[in-house]
Amino acid sequence: DKKEAKELSQFFDGQIVIVSSVNQDEKKISSTRIRQAIKEGRVADATKLLGYPLSTRGIVVHGNARGRTIGYPTANLAPLDRV
């Protein structure tokens, strides 16, 4: 909003550029919307909103070895980021 930008210019000496929102499905793409998709387990939606695959980092830690019971290797991660 131009009014808010003008008010901000009273406290900030730098150049202010108003950037139009980017929308998907008629809704603004925002970090809040991306975090909500991740929180709800909608990783494919988060990937679409980000424009690239979601990634996270962590340290592999010992788990309950449940992957062995289903014949599928698994890894337990202690997250290094807030995801």
Side-chain angles (χ1 to χ4, degrees):
D1 177 69
K2 290 183 181 182
K3 181 182 176 197
E4 292 170 349
K6 187 173 183 179
E7 292 171 1
L8 180 61
S9 68
Q10 296 173 1
F11 304 100
F12 178 69
D13 292 332
Q15 181 182 6
I16 298 172
V17 177
I18 299 172
V19 178
S20 298
S21 66
V22 178
N23 299 314
Q24 184 182 80
D25 302 326
E26 300 182 21
K27 294 183 201 170
K28 183 172 93 172
I29 295 177
S30 66
S31 57
T32 301
R33 190 171 166 201
I34 294 166
R35 284 192 305 270
Q36 188 65 35
I38 294 166
K39 184 178 178 182
E40 293 173 2
R42 296 181 291 112
V43 178
D45 289 346
T47 295
K48 282 176 58 178
L49 293 168
L50 286 166
Y52 54 86
L54 175 68
S55 65
T56 189
R57 300 178 311 142
I59 298 171
V60 177
V61 295
H62 183 70
N64 294 327
R66 290 189 186 136
R68 293 180 192 166
T69 65
I70 60 173
Y72 194 84
T74 61
N76 297 291
L77 294 179
L80 292 176
D81 53 27
R82 294 181 64 189
V83 175

